[in-house]
Amino acid sequence: MTTLSQLLFPEQPRDFRGRRWFNITLRSLHLVGLLGAGAGVLFSIEKSVWMPYFWLTLASGSGMILLELWSSAIWALQLRGQATLIKLLLLSLIPQTSWDLPLLIVIVILSSVFAHAPGRVRYYSIFQRRSI
């Protein structure tokens, strides 16, 4: 019988043929969505015009999160996963607040920092106090 721990944290991360291209597709859609939503926020365009881009950003980002969690939930224990979950939370606040531009800027900064940070930072777990 498989335990919850084994299900969430398999010995080897789960994978499937075409996973890389699926992730690239999600990431590309995510960037298109961020571009459209960002332009809407930055140039104060009518919300109804840029909301489809916002939803594309949210959906593709959620898809990438689900893909990482399916592979191994260890991702959620690492700073890279936690930063992504924070970005998702901040993104979900954008249509509901007048702080849309500052939130968008923080999201982009977090994305840049964690995309280019060394592995010892991205894979660090505050729970285990070491890279995992």
Side-chain angles (χ1 to χ4, degrees):
M1 179 177 206
T2 304
T3 66
L4 180 59
S5 179
Q6 291 169 324
L7 186 64
L8 294 174
F9 307 103
E11 283 188 37
Q12 294 296 319
R14 292 177 195 87
D15 202 6
F16 60 89
R17 186 174 165 91
R19 180 180 189 265
R20 182 176 181 87
W21 285 107
F22 184 61
N23 194 42
I24 289 170
T25 300
L26 284 174
R27 189 169 306 278
S28 298
L29 290 171
H30 194 66
L31 291 172
V32 168
L34 185 61
L35 178 67
V41 168
L42 188 60
F43 297 112
S44 301
I45 297 172
E46 177 64 37
K47 194 179 277 192
S48 63
V49 173
W50 59 265
M51 280 306 286
Y53 292 99
F54 169 82
W55 290 115
L56 178 60
T57 306
L58 197 61
S60 57
S62 296
M64 288 187 287
I65 288 171
L66 290 173
L67 187 59
E68 289 294 339
L69 289 172
W70 173 81
S71 178
S72 175
I74 199 167
W75 172 88
L77 300 177
Q78 298 168 330
L79 285 180
R80 65 186 180 136
Q82 293 159 1
T84 302
L85 295 172
I86 289 169
K87 291 187 313 183
L88 182 65
L89 173 67
L90 295 176
L91 183 66
S92 68
L93 296 174
I94 285 178
Q96 306 168 38
T97 179
S98 62
W99 287 64
D100 50 2
L101 184 57
L103 286 172
L104 195 61
I105 290 169
V106 168
I107 291 167
V108 169
I109 290 170
L110 282 172
S111 297
S112 177
V113 167
F114 281 93
H116 300 285
R120 70 179 186 279
V121 173
R122 289 192 319 266
Y123 297 102
Y124 184 80
S125 170
I126 60 172
F127 303 105
Q128 296 183 350
R129 296 181 183 212
R130 62 180 175 90
S131 290
I132 54 174

